[in-house]
Amino acid sequence: MVDRNDSFLREVDEDLRRDQFLKLWQDYGVYFIVLLVFVLLGLGAYKWRESRGLQHEEQTGVRFEHAMQLATQGKADEATRAFSEIAKEGPAGYRALARLRLASEDVKAGKIAEALAAYEGLAADTGADEVLRDFAALQAAVLRLDQADWTEMKNRLTPLAEEKRPWRAPAREILGLAAYKAGKTEEATKLFEQVLSDRSSTAGLSRRAQELLAVLTDAAAAKGAAPLPPTKDGAADKAPPEAAKKRMDGGAAPNK
């Protein structure tokens, strides 16, 4: 008897649930269908945009490679036009890379002011990848090394030289050269030692750091023995040795 009552109650409960569902469907079924249609349309649009984006990125990659080939072949004008088009209409990553290449071409052409403005513009672009932004800031600092004072170089490079920043090793190298130029040999020594102890430093960076530390050691020894010979204007020459400076030109940061 109990089992029969339980079975009857279950049937009643199921009927009530069925009636409630049918009533809900009658009242709101149209809205549910409309909502489902919008969800499916949105998903389809997202997939379409995703596919189009991937296709656009692949096409831009081919165009970027072609522009690189033009630059390698010495066709500077054609390469500049190709990079300019990518910088205007390409995906974010390729736009930033194209801007870097355009700035590099300006440097080769002796257009230092234009290159500096381009690097600084990319460094300030919050929409660009942080690695590329830091690289642009580093290149801007390299261009300013000969003209800027110690304060400017410190302001430019100190953030880039912090731990976990992607270009910290070359940033410390350039900052060390700026310190040497400003006569701050202790800071220069510390920075070059940081380059040597950093596992992210390339073989070239480590070699230059060793050479510059040797220069600083020799300079300190010479200073203790005798004063540096005066230059024509009577001031001691504090500029880095020309050989060391030449090794730095174009080698402050790893290749893009």
Side-chain angles (χ1 to χ4, degrees):
M1 187 67 174
V2 175
D3 291 340
R4 184 179 301 174
N5 288 337
D6 289 343
S7 176
F8 176 75
L9 290 173
R10 281 196 299 272
E11 289 179 7
V12 171
D13 185 60
E14 289 174 1
D15 287 341
L16 288 172
R17 289 176 182 276
R18 189 179 302 110
D19 290 342
Q20 289 174 347
F21 176 77
L22 289 174
K23 188 176 187 321
L24 287 172
W25 179 256
Q26 290 172 356
D27 292 342
Y28 303 105
V30 174
Y31 299 106
F32 175 77
I33 292 174
V34 171
L35 177 61
L36 181 61
V37 169
F38 274 111
V39 170
L40 291 175
L41 287 174
L43 182 60
Y46 171 77
K47 290 295 185 181
W48 180 80
R49 287 195 302 269
E50 186 179 51
S51 176
R52 290 277 295 179
L54 290 173
Q55 184 180 10
H56 182 45
E57 191 162 343
E58 290 175 358
Q59 291 173 348
T60 306
V62 174
R63 291 168 59 197
F64 189 87
E65 184 177 354
H66 177 64
M68 291 283 288
Q69 291 175 352
L70 290 173
T72 303
Q73 295 167 2
K75 300 177 181 178
D77 292 340
E78 294 179 47
T80 297
R81 284 195 295 271
F83 285 127
S84 297
E85 291 176 359
I86 295 172
K88 290 177 182 177
E89 59 188 36
Y94 280 109
R95 285 202 308 269
L97 288 172
R99 291 167 69 181
L100 285 173
R101 285 297 310 185
L102 287 170
S104 175
E105 293 300 317
D106 282 339
V107 172
K108 292 178 182 177
K111 301 176 181 178
I112 304 303
E114 291 85 345
L116 180 62
Y119 283 134
E120 290 180 338
L122 179 55
D125 185 354
T126 56
D129 183 84
E130 182 183 12
V131 173
L132 299 181
R133 290 172 58 198
D134 281 5
F135 182 79
L138 180 64
Q139 295 303 308
V142 171
L143 293 180
R144 290 290 297 156
L145 179 60
D146 287 339
Q147 293 80 30
D149 59 19
W150 167 245
T151 300
E152 178 184 338
M153 294 303 294
K154 191 172 182 180
N155 290 338
R156 285 178 177 273
L157 291 166
T158 297
L160 304 178
E162 294 175 353
E163 289 294 334
K164 298 184 179 180
R165 296 299 283 266
W167 304 99
R168 62 183 179 276
R172 289 168 180 171
E173 180 184 42
I174 301 302
L175 190 56
L177 280 175
Y180 184 95
K181 181 184 171 201
K184 300 181 180 297
T185 56
E186 290 185 7
E187 292 190 47
T189 299
K190 180 180 178 181
L191 287 160
F192 293 138
E193 288 174 345
Q194 288 177 344
V195 173
L196 276 178
S197 63
D198 193 335
R199 292 184 178 180
S200 72
S201 296
T202 62
L205 281 170
S206 297
R207 184 187 69 253
R208 289 195 299 270
Q210 288 178 330
E211 293 174 354
L212 290 163
L213 281 171
V215 170
L216 288 168
T217 301
D218 292 344
K223 185 177 180 180
L228 292 173
T231 58
K232 292 182 180 179
D233 58 1
D237 186 2
K238 294 183 179 180
E242 188 64 25
K245 184 177 177 183
K246 285 183 178 179
R247 283 192 295 269
M248 286 305 307
D249 291 341
N255 291 331
K256 299 184 283 295

